[in-house]
Amino acid sequence: MTAEQIKNANAELRSQSQLEIVKWAIAQANGRAIVSTNYRPYEAVILHLVMQVQPDIPVLWVDHGYNRPATYKHAEQLKAQLKLNIKAYLPKLTAAHYDAVHGGMPEKT
């Protein structure tokens, strides 16, 4: 989108509900919309809205293998509750394999 198109969309959508904004956004994709998630706490709200508009939308999840157990439990609950069409992408090496070969997950510097 151009800067002008973004400005116009913001003006058009400013007074719309969250659901109407999601409907608008999905319509812009002409049948090719996807949504991504990392299962953080507020993601459930976005996923819930999107499922109301397009229940079969592909949900992209890149699972690096280092999530906490609570995240995986939360993910399973949301997948079942919202009937998510998950498209999971997993690393070629498991977290355990990576840790063994490379000495663990890289630390923030």
Side-chain angles (χ1 to χ4, degrees):
M1 294 179 78
T2 66
E4 187 67 22
Q5 289 171 317
I6 293 170
K7 179 181 171 185
N8 292 339
N10 281 332
E12 175 188 342
L13 298 170
R14 183 168 283 117
S15 63
Q16 300 296 315
S17 71
Q18 292 87 350
L19 185 58
E20 289 301 318
I21 293 168
V22 170
K23 285 179 183 177
W24 177 88
I26 289 175
Q28 303 310 299
N30 294 319
R32 297 180 44 101
I34 65 166
V35 65
S36 65
T37 187
N38 59 8
Y39 292 108
R40 303 287 292 179
Y42 297 114
E43 296 281 323
V45 175
I46 295 168
L47 292 171
H48 175 69
L49 285 169
V50 169
M51 292 304 115
Q52 290 179 61
V53 177
Q54 186 179 333
D56 65 340
I57 194 168
V59 180
L60 173 67
W61 180 29
V62 179
D63 179 8
H64 47 66
Y66 285 101
N67 289 304
R68 296 174 187 244
T71 301
Y72 288 110
K73 289 176 184 175
H74 179 65
E76 291 302 315
Q77 289 172 339
L78 279 180
K79 288 190 310 190
Q81 185 177 358
L82 298 176
K83 298 177 178 62
L84 300 177
N85 179 16
I86 296 294
K87 305 298 180 191
Y89 291 83
L90 305 167
K92 291 183 180 184
L93 295 178
T94 65
H97 188 164
Y98 184 89
D99 289 350
V101 172
H102 298 286
M105 184 171 62
E107 296 293 324
K108 291 183 181 179
T109 55

PDB file of all heavy atoms in Angstrom, residues 63-75:
ATOM      1  N   ASP A  63       7.319 -22.936  15.141  1.00  0.00           N
ATOM      2  CA  ASP A  63       7.642 -23.474  16.466  1.00  0.00           C
ATOM      3  C   ASP A  63       9.130 -23.782  16.522  1.00  0.00           C
ATOM      4  O   ASP A  63       9.593 -24.767  15.966  1.00  0.00           O
ATOM      5  CB  ASP A  63       6.823 -24.734  16.733  1.00  0.00           C
ATOM      6  CG  ASP A  63       7.131 -25.361  18.073  1.00  0.00           C
ATOM      7  OD1 ASP A  63       7.866 -24.757  18.882  1.00  0.00           O
ATOM      8  OD2 ASP A  63       6.639 -26.481  18.317  1.00  0.00           O
ATOM      9  N   HIS A  64       9.871 -22.941  17.203  1.00  0.00           N
ATOM     10  CA  HIS A  64      11.322 -23.097  17.294  1.00  0.00           C
ATOM     11  C   HIS A  64      11.739 -24.175  18.289  1.00  0.00           C
ATOM     12  O   HIS A  64      12.898 -24.550  18.353  1.00  0.00           O
ATOM     13  CB  HIS A  64      11.983 -21.769  17.662  1.00  0.00           C
ATOM     14  CG  HIS A  64      11.313 -21.073  18.797  1.00  0.00           C
ATOM     15  ND1 HIS A  64      11.285 -21.563  20.074  1.00  0.00           N
ATOM     16  CD2 HIS A  64      10.608 -19.922  18.812  1.00  0.00           C
ATOM     17  CE1 HIS A  64      10.607 -20.732  20.854  1.00  0.00           C
ATOM     18  NE2 HIS A  64      10.181 -19.722  20.104  1.00  0.00           N
ATOM     19  N   GLY A  65      10.800 -24.692  19.060  1.00  0.00           N
ATOM     20  CA  GLY A  65      11.103 -25.769  19.986  1.00  0.00           C
ATOM     21  C   GLY A  65      11.528 -25.316  21.368  1.00  0.00           C
ATOM     22  O   GLY A  65      11.841 -26.141  22.224  1.00  0.00           O
ATOM     23  N   TYR A  66      11.562 -24.023  21.606  1.00  0.00           N
ATOM     24  CA  TYR A  66      12.007 -23.498  22.900  1.00  0.00           C
ATOM     25  C   TYR A  66      10.872 -22.859  23.711  1.00  0.00           C
ATOM     26  O   TYR A  66      11.127 -22.128  24.646  1.00  0.00           O
ATOM     27  CB  TYR A  66      13.126 -22.470  22.714  1.00  0.00           C
ATOM     28  CG  TYR A  66      14.443 -23.109  22.360  1.00  0.00           C
ATOM     29  CD1 TYR A  66      14.898 -23.125  21.049  1.00  0.00           C
ATOM     30  CD2 TYR A  66      15.229 -23.698  23.341  1.00  0.00           C
ATOM     31  CE1 TYR A  66      16.103 -23.713  20.729  1.00  0.00           C
ATOM     32  CE2 TYR A  66      16.444 -24.285  23.025  1.00  0.00           C
ATOM     33  CZ  TYR A  66      16.873 -24.293  21.709  1.00  0.00           C
ATOM     34  OH  TYR A  66      18.072 -24.878  21.402  1.00  0.00           O
ATOM     35  N   ASN A  67       9.638 -23.141  23.336  1.00  0.00           N
ATOM     36  CA  ASN A  67       8.522 -22.603  24.122  1.00  0.00           C
ATOM     37  C   ASN A  67       8.452 -23.304  25.476  1.00  0.00           C
ATOM     38  O   ASN A  67       8.894 -24.435  25.632  1.00  0.00           O
ATOM     39  CB  ASN A  67       7.206 -22.788  23.370  1.00  0.00           C
ATOM     40  CG  ASN A  67       7.102 -21.887  22.178  1.00  0.00           C
ATOM     41  OD1 ASN A  67       7.225 -20.673  22.308  1.00  0.00           O
ATOM     42  ND2 ASN A  67       6.900 -22.463  21.008  1.00  0.00           N
ATOM     43  N   ARG A  68       7.860 -22.622  26.402  1.00  0.00           N
ATOM     44  CA  ARG A  68       7.648 -23.205  27.728  1.00  0.00           C
ATOM     45  C   ARG A  68       6.466 -24.168  27.666  1.00  0.00           C
ATOM     46  O   ARG A  68       5.594 -24.030  26.795  1.00  0.00           O
ATOM     47  CB  ARG A  68       7.381 -22.103  28.740  1.00  0.00           C
ATOM     48  CG  ARG A  68       8.580 -21.200  28.908  1.00  0.00           C
ATOM     49  CD  ARG A  68       8.230 -20.027  29.799  1.00  0.00           C
ATOM     50  NE  ARG A  68       9.347 -19.105  29.803  1.00  0.00           N
ATOM     51  CZ  ARG A  68      10.060 -18.822  30.883  1.00  0.00           C
ATOM     52  NH1 ARG A  68       9.759 -19.352  32.039  1.00  0.00           N
ATOM     53  NH2 ARG A  68      11.074 -17.991  30.801  1.00  0.00           N
ATOM     54  N   PRO A  69       6.411 -25.123  28.596  1.00  0.00           N
ATOM     55  CA  PRO A  69       5.279 -26.061  28.601  1.00  0.00           C
ATOM     56  C   PRO A  69       3.924 -25.355  28.621  1.00  0.00           C
ATOM     57  O   PRO A  69       2.988 -25.801  27.939  1.00  0.00           O
ATOM     58  CB  PRO A  69       5.507 -26.879  29.879  1.00  0.00           C
ATOM     59  CG  PRO A  69       6.994 -26.864  30.061  1.00  0.00           C
ATOM     60  CD  PRO A  69       7.419 -25.487  29.601  1.00  0.00           C
ATOM     61  N   ALA A  70       3.809 -24.272  29.346  1.00  0.00           N
ATOM     62  CA  ALA A  70       2.534 -23.544  29.400  1.00  0.00           C
ATOM     63  C   ALA A  70       2.127 -23.028  28.026  1.00  0.00           C
ATOM     64  O   ALA A  70       0.932 -22.997  27.694  1.00  0.00           O
ATOM     65  CB  ALA A  70       2.625 -22.389  30.398  1.00  0.00           C
ATOM     66  N   THR A  71       3.100 -22.621  27.204  1.00  0.00           N
ATOM     67  CA  THR A  71       2.792 -22.136  25.852  1.00  0.00           C
ATOM     68  C   THR A  71       2.236 -23.263  25.000  1.00  0.00           C
ATOM     69  O   THR A  71       1.247 -23.083  24.286  1.00  0.00           O
ATOM     70  CB  THR A  71       4.036 -21.536  25.186  1.00  0.00           C
ATOM     71  OG1 THR A  71       4.501 -20.450  25.994  1.00  0.00           O
ATOM     72  CG2 THR A  71       3.745 -21.045  23.780  1.00  0.00           C
ATOM     73  N   TYR A  72       2.852 -24.447  25.078  1.00  0.00           N
ATOM     74  CA  TYR A  72       2.359 -25.580  24.287  1.00  0.00           C
ATOM     75  C   TYR A  72       0.962 -26.001  24.749  1.00  0.00           C
ATOM     76  O   TYR A  72       0.101 -26.318  23.921  1.00  0.00           O
ATOM     77  CB  TYR A  72       3.334 -26.754  24.356  1.00  0.00           C
ATOM     78  CG  TYR A  72       4.596 -26.493  23.573  1.00  0.00           C
ATOM     79  CD1 TYR A  72       5.807 -26.289  24.209  1.00  0.00           C
ATOM     80  CD2 TYR A  72       4.574 -26.435  22.179  1.00  0.00           C
ATOM     81  CE1 TYR A  72       6.971 -26.035  23.486  1.00  0.00           C
ATOM     82  CE2 TYR A  72       5.724 -26.187  21.449  1.00  0.00           C
ATOM     83  CZ  TYR A  72       6.919 -25.987  22.107  1.00  0.00           C
ATOM     84  OH  TYR A  72       8.058 -25.739  21.377  1.00  0.00           O
ATOM     85  N   LYS A  73       0.701 -25.975  26.052  1.00  0.00           N
ATOM     86  CA  LYS A  73      -0.634 -26.306  26.553  1.00  0.00           C
ATOM     87  C   LYS A  73      -1.662 -25.277  26.070  1.00  0.00           C
ATOM     88  O   LYS A  73      -2.759 -25.630  25.643  1.00  0.00           O
ATOM     89  CB  LYS A  73      -0.623 -26.387  28.076  1.00  0.00           C
ATOM     90  CG  LYS A  73       0.108 -27.602  28.598  1.00  0.00           C
ATOM     91  CD  LYS A  73       0.181 -27.599  30.111  1.00  0.00           C
ATOM     92  CE  LYS A  73       1.017 -28.775  30.594  1.00  0.00           C
ATOM     93  NZ  LYS A  73       1.212 -28.765  32.048  1.00  0.00           N
ATOM     94  N   HIS A  74      -1.283 -23.998  26.142  1.00  0.00           N
ATOM     95  CA  HIS A  74      -2.152 -22.916  25.661  1.00  0.00           C
ATOM     96  C   HIS A  74      -2.433 -23.089  24.175  1.00  0.00           C
ATOM     97  O   HIS A  74      -3.577 -22.938  23.717  1.00  0.00           O
ATOM     98  CB  HIS A  74      -1.478 -21.572  25.949  1.00  0.00           C
ATOM     99  CG  HIS A  74      -2.233 -20.381  25.497  1.00  0.00           C
ATOM    100  ND1 HIS A  74      -3.457 -20.010  26.021  1.00  0.00           N
ATOM    101  CD2 HIS A  74      -1.942 -19.451  24.542  1.00  0.00           C
ATOM    102  CE1 HIS A  74      -3.881 -18.915  25.417  1.00  0.00           C
ATOM    103  NE2 HIS A  74      -2.984 -18.555  24.521  1.00  0.00           N
ATOM    104  N   ALA A  75      -1.401 -23.415  23.402  1.00  0.00           N
ATOM    105  CA  ALA A  75      -1.564 -23.620  21.958  1.00  0.00           C
ATOM    106  C   ALA A  75      -2.558 -24.736  21.682  1.00  0.00           C
ATOM    107  O   ALA A  75      -3.440 -24.601  20.824  1.00  0.00           O
ATOM    108  CB  ALA A  75      -0.208 -23.937  21.317  1.00  0.00           C
TER     109      ALA A  75
END
